[in-house]
Amino acid sequence: MEVTPNHTQAASGWAAMEASGKVVPFAFKRRENGVDDVTIKVHYCGMCHTDLHFINNDWGITMYPVVPGHEITGVVTKVGSNVSGFRPGDRVGVGCIAASCLDCDHCRRSEENYCDKVALTYNGIFWDGSVTYGGYSNMLVAHKRFLVRIPDTLPLDAAAPLLCAGITVYSPMKQHGMLHAGRRLGVVGLGGLGHVAVKFGKAFGLKVTVISTSPAKEREARESLKADDFVLSTDEKQMQAMARSLDYVIDTVSAQHSLGPILELLKVNGKLVLVAAPDKPVELPSFPLIFGKRTVSGSMTGGMKETQEMMDLCGEHGITADIELVSTDGINDALARLARNDVRYRFVVDVAGNGSRL
């Protein structure tokens, strides 16, 4: 474990020690609360599919022990002398970013997530050279720039996944002009990211079509999430009937798949954005791009100003994730279910043992 002399605060959490797919109780040290820092008592932490990738070292970059978790909500317990925007008792959240250089063009535009020196909330290298540990833990110290306020209208547990899943779909929707009422949005995959994308689309007046390989998802899409249409991507007739009907598509599927059939659903000049990270390359045929003048791009989380904007909009529209609350004793069972996609739609760890929403 890489620590520096200022890591003196005892913390407890849950860490993966090897690529076993499981976490175990883990005691470690957090840094002292600096002049620009905020200390948080962690109440809840969402479980992202990225946590599984890091726990299992799927991408070959895990630094064990790894304490996962980047969908963190809690309450401020201490602030540094240079902190003016937060005070003890505030409801706050920490997402995917722990640090960035603060000085590059991206940071100056509050695109900290694209900074060359970005440090992730876990499995990153912080400014002092220490390895970052995430929200599967009882407390956290965060730099003031990398916190957001959680509106009082949102429960801390159901708001937690917005710090990753929410901003991951909101950022490309904003950047690509997808928030205009009346346009047609396709959402590929109805999981943790996909169900939030549907909620954003409906909140902003879009006609939303869910695209899935699972016929069982149709009822959920139409009745629970109020999607306007549902297309079974394995049904060639349904896919052909929807050809050239969508203005935008957000692809949230983290498994290997072909983009060709999805691209055919887009109108001429349509835009497809990838927001998931399959462990194997997706298939991208050229003909649907060329003959439809379509665009494929990617997007990764969002900057801090955008994240606060997204959270405030969620507060105004009452948007939260649909969650299943998990006790700390049930983390490994939830990870196993997450690996099977057996969750509707996001697990959230009740770190503080609140048992009810705050």
Side-chain angles (χ1 to χ4, degrees):
M1 179 175 62
E2 295 294 328
V3 297
T4 58
N6 72 329
H7 283 64
T8 60
Q9 297 197 81
S12 60
W14 294 265
M17 312 304 287
E18 58 184 2
S20 65
K22 295 183 178 181
V23 296
V24 296
F26 179 60
F28 60 101
K29 302 286 188 182
R30 294 284 193 193
R31 71 180 185 274
E32 283 296 313
N33 196 91
V35 295
D36 293 313
D37 287 336
V38 176
T39 297
I40 306 156
K41 177 183 179 182
V42 177
H43 283 257
Y44 300 101
C45 187
M47 299 180 70
C48 176
H49 210 276
T50 299
D51 298 347
L52 274 178
H53 286 304
F54 275 107
I55 288 170
N56 293 318
N57 197 24
D58 289 334
W59 298 325
I61 58 174
T62 301
M63 296 177 283
Y64 293 106
V66 60
V67 178
H70 57 207
E71 300 178 347
I72 307 159
T73 56
V75 174
V76 174
T77 59
K78 186 176 182 180
V79 300
S81 58
N82 290 344
V83 177
S84 59
F86 300 96
R87 61 184 180 181
D90 283 351
R91 305 163 82 250
V92 296
V94 175
C96 301
I97 308 172
S100 64
C101 80
L102 305 182
D103 192 47
C104 67
D105 288 343
H106 294 296
C107 287
R108 283 192 285 268
R109 292 194 295 264
S110 193
E111 295 176 343
E112 298 92 344
N113 50 317
Y114 295 115
C115 174
D116 287 341
K117 297 180 180 178
V118 67
L120 301 180
T121 299
Y122 68 87
N123 203 70
I125 303 298
F126 195 66
W127 291 319
D128 61 8
S130 63
V131 175
T132 56
Y133 293 133
Y136 291 20
S137 58
N138 66 332
M139 58 89 71
L140 185 75
V141 181
H143 186 275
K144 62 184 180 181
R145 173 136 175 186
F146 300 100
L147 277 85
V148 298
R149 290 183 174 276
I150 306 297
D152 291 338
T153 54
L154 300 180
L156 286 179
D157 55 357
L162 299 175
L163 292 156
C164 174
I167 187 58
T168 295
V169 295
Y170 176 80
S171 180
M173 291 180 79
K174 179 185 177 183
Q175 295 301 321
H176 293 282
M178 300 184 190
L179 301 179
H180 298 297
R183 299 286 180 87
R184 299 186 65 90
L185 170 70
V187 178
V188 185
L190 194 60
L193 276 68
H195 90 286
V196 178
V198 174
K199 290 188 177 189
F200 280 137
K202 295 300 296 181
F204 290 106
L206 282 78
K207 302 290 186 180
V208 181
T209 297
V210 171
I211 304 153
S212 175
T213 60
S214 173
K217 296 287 182 75
E218 181 170 5
R219 183 175 180 179
E220 300 172 35
R222 293 185 183 274
E223 296 183 8
S224 299
L225 297 172
K226 309 303 180 184
D228 299 280
D229 288 299
F230 179 90
V231 177
L232 190 63
S233 58
T234 55
D235 187 316
E236 188 174 342
K237 288 185 178 180
Q238 288 189 31
M239 293 290 282
Q240 288 177 349
M242 289 293 293
R244 292 198 172 194
S245 66
L246 304 176
D247 297 290
Y248 319 105
V249 169
I250 293 181
D251 189 335
T252 72
V253 174
S254 58
Q256 184 184 31
H257 59 292
S258 175
L259 301 183
I262 299 167
L263 285 167
E264 298 285 7
L265 302 180
L266 285 168
K267 298 176 182 178
V268 173
N269 283 321
K271 298 174 182 178
L272 166 63
V273 182
L274 303 176
V275 295
D279 53 6
K280 295 180 181 179
V282 295
E283 180 183 320
L284 179 59
S286 59
F287 277 21
L289 289 174
I290 295 169
F291 287 97
K293 202 166 72 170
R294 301 174 177 110
T295 302
V296 176
S297 65
S299 184
M300 180 186 72
T301 66
M304 296 312 301
K305 287 183 179 179
E306 202 169 55
T307 302
Q308 185 66 69
E309 175 185 292
M310 177 273 308
M311 193 64 73
D312 291 341
L313 285 170
C314 287
E316 292 174 16
H317 292 275
I319 298 172
T320 58
D322 292 356
I323 67 166
E324 182 175 334
L325 207 57
V326 176
S327 70
T328 55
D329 291 339
I331 293 176
N332 285 321
D333 288 340
L335 287 170
R337 286 180 55 193
L338 182 59
R340 303 192 301 267
N341 293 318
D342 178 21
V343 57
R344 297 291 181 273
Y345 289 95
R346 204 69 153 187
F347 287 120
V348 173
V349 182
D350 185 3
V351 176
N354 294 296
S356 61
R357 296 185 171 187
L358 295 179

